[in-house]
Amino acid sequence: MVIGASGMYVVAVVLPAVQAEFGVARGVASMPYTLSMIGFGIGGMLMGKLADRFGVMIPLLVGAVCLGLGFILAGMAPNIIVFTLAHGLLIGLCGSSATFSPLIADTSLWFVRRRGIAVAVCASGNYLGGAIWPPIVQHFVDTVGWRQTYFGLGVVCFIVMGGLALLMRRRPPVAVAAAARNGVSLTSERPFGLPMGKAQLLLCVAGIACCVAMAMPQVHIVAYCGDLGYGAARGAQMLSLMLACGVVSRLISGLICDRIGGLRTLLLGSMLQGIALLLFLPFDGLVSLYVISALFGLFQGGIVPSYAIIVREYFPASEAGGRVGAVIMCTMLGMALGGWMSGQIFDLTGSYHAAFINGILWNLLNFSICMFLLRRTSRNKSGSGSGLQTAGA
């Protein structure tokens, strides 16, 4: 998960250097991130199906090869088009995608009672990678240039990820029957009291909305610090801090999730993420940005893993893999859309103020959907209780 995360977070660090070398606008320079996130989401579904059939080792081996080739090709890119395609097709679609949805789905099959914390530990590798890679990449960009840095990344990802994949031959046990016997399964043919398709659609829209908001600081904090005069290195440090705090957030959210469920955990994360985004508007001092970056990481880290738990709680277990992949794909689409949209808004307005407001509005949409689903769930529980009382009488 840590190695695969390089494909998600490195491009945000090299964005200013790539923009300067190819002489393109900020919105165009954001497109490699956008396409890599779209590829990441679509590839997650494809790699998940591959893992269902052959085990998680095979997609991880495919991902190692494609991630290595993608970084090397991007480092050799003669223009922004080749650079963008390398990120979208090799790094996103066939590389990093092998290390998120497939690993989360595989982890969820090994655990029953403490599934929330287990998934959170696995998902934390993504943010741990986000904490590790930006300062390392920024150091090498400053010393040897972004192209040589990409060559080195390609070699490291191929060797390390490929070697680790070989250790993951064993298939997970079938835990669904045990979960049902222990009363853990809460699945229904009408999740949240809604038709299956409508419930899935609402979760997908919620995933897009929360991650459009999430992408604003994560994708543009390095460029934002450069515009404020603090330098790209400061921005890389803030991104690293943000994602390091996201690791802590994911672990805490996993523990919370096992106590209050995935939906309430998602609602809590959405509310806190909105608060952190609001803080970016009035405060742009160096110390303030470090503090807010840390808070943002602490507040939003548990959001995406919550969707996997919600699917396992409310949808049939036999469909969990495909449905988790669909929701995770939408979260990645949201990250892609948010990264591109924020760059476009910057190009139109000349500042990131309007981009932060845009993120806050998308976050409100996510919060509203969470509230709606929670009310539907509470209403269904109340109705079930009344029905049981009537039957007993």
Side-chain angles (χ1 to χ4, degrees):
M1 191 75 84
V2 172
I3 300 299
S6 62
M8 297 179 63
Y9 298 113
V10 165
V11 68
V13 178
V14 302
L15 188 151
V18 169
Q19 180 186 4
E21 177 161 339
F22 293 133
V24 295
R26 184 69 54 83
V28 176
S30 300
M31 283 302 294
Y33 177 84
T34 299
L35 286 189
S36 68
M37 289 297 98
I38 293 174
F40 188 100
I42 297 173
M45 293 184 65
L46 300 177
M47 293 293 182
K49 291 182 179 180
L50 192 64
D52 286 340
R53 185 166 183 179
F54 301 107
V56 76
M57 184 187 73
I58 298 301
L60 288 177
L61 288 174
V62 173
V65 172
C66 292
L67 201 59
L69 290 176
F71 276 124
I72 293 173
L73 178 60
M76 299 172 59
N79 53 55
I80 191 66
I81 296 176
V82 175
F83 185 81
T84 301
L85 290 176
H87 277 82
L89 297 178
L90 289 173
I91 296 176
L93 181 67
C94 302
S96 296
S97 64
T99 62
F100 198 79
S101 295
L103 281 176
I104 286 180
D106 188 73
T107 300
S108 71
L109 296 175
W110 288 89
F111 295 86
V112 178
R113 292 179 57 199
R114 295 183 174 87
R115 182 179 293 140
I117 186 61
V119 169
V121 169
C122 176
S124 294
N126 180 266
Y127 270 5
L128 182 60
I132 291 172
W133 288 114
I136 293 175
V137 170
Q138 186 64 55
H139 169 75
F140 283 104
V141 169
D142 291 339
T143 55
V144 300
W146 70 267
R147 291 185 182 274
Q148 289 76 12
T149 301
Y150 264 51
F151 294 152
L153 277 170
V155 174
V156 169
C157 289
F158 172 73
I159 294 175
V160 178
M161 187 171 159
L164 292 173
L166 296 175
L167 302 176
M168 304 188 71
R169 292 186 179 89
R170 189 178 174 189
R171 301 293 297 271
V174 179
V176 174
R181 285 196 299 271
N182 286 290
V184 176
S185 179
L186 303 174
T187 60
S188 168
E189 293 301 321
R190 288 181 60 84
F192 318 112
L194 298 169
M196 198 83 71
K198 186 176 181 180
Q200 178 78 44
L201 177 62
L202 284 172
L203 281 181
C204 288
V205 174
I208 292 173
C210 74
C211 288
V212 168
M214 192 183 299
M216 172 55 232
Q218 286 191 13
V219 179
H220 291 275
I221 190 66
V222 177
Y224 183 47
C225 285
D227 294 340
L228 292 173
Y230 301 132
R234 295 287 190 180
Q237 290 172 359
M238 291 179 195
L239 180 60
S240 178
L241 176 64
M242 187 185 298
L243 299 174
C245 290
V247 175
V248 178
S249 174
R250 287 195 165 172
L251 295 175
I252 294 174
S253 296
L255 293 171
I256 294 173
C257 199
D258 283 330
R259 291 180 175 272
I260 67 175
L263 187 55
R264 287 181 173 84
T265 304
L266 176 61
L267 181 67
L268 177 63
S270 179
M271 179 183 68
L272 294 175
Q273 176 174 265
I275 292 172
L277 286 170
L278 281 169
L279 292 175
F280 277 106
L281 293 177
F283 302 106
D284 60 3
L286 183 61
V287 175
S288 299
L289 287 175
Y290 273 109
V291 173
I292 297 170
S293 295
L295 289 175
F296 187 82
L298 287 172
F299 289 167
Q300 55 80 37
I303 290 178
V304 172
S306 296
Y307 290 107
I309 303 301
I310 291 170
V311 170
R312 292 302 304 267
E313 288 177 338
Y314 292 97
F315 289 81
S318 60
E319 303 174 8
R323 294 189 182 277
V324 168
V327 177
I328 296 299
M329 179 185 71
C330 288
T331 64
M332 295 302 104
L333 176 61
M335 292 295 290
L337 179 62
W340 170 81
M341 190 181 294
S342 297
Q344 289 295 109
I345 291 173
F346 175 87
D347 290 337
L348 291 172
T349 64
S351 78
Y352 279 116
H353 187 82
F356 279 116
I357 294 176
N358 177 66
I360 292 167
L361 293 176
W362 281 92
N363 195 81
L364 284 174
L365 173 60
N366 174 266
F367 184 80
S368 300
I369 293 174
C370 293
M371 284 295 299
F372 172 76
L373 295 178
L374 185 59
R375 287 177 180 174
R376 293 282 308 184
T377 302
S378 300
R379 188 183 309 165
N380 289 336
K381 286 182 179 179
S382 299
S384 298
S386 299
L388 288 173
Q389 291 175 2
T390 302

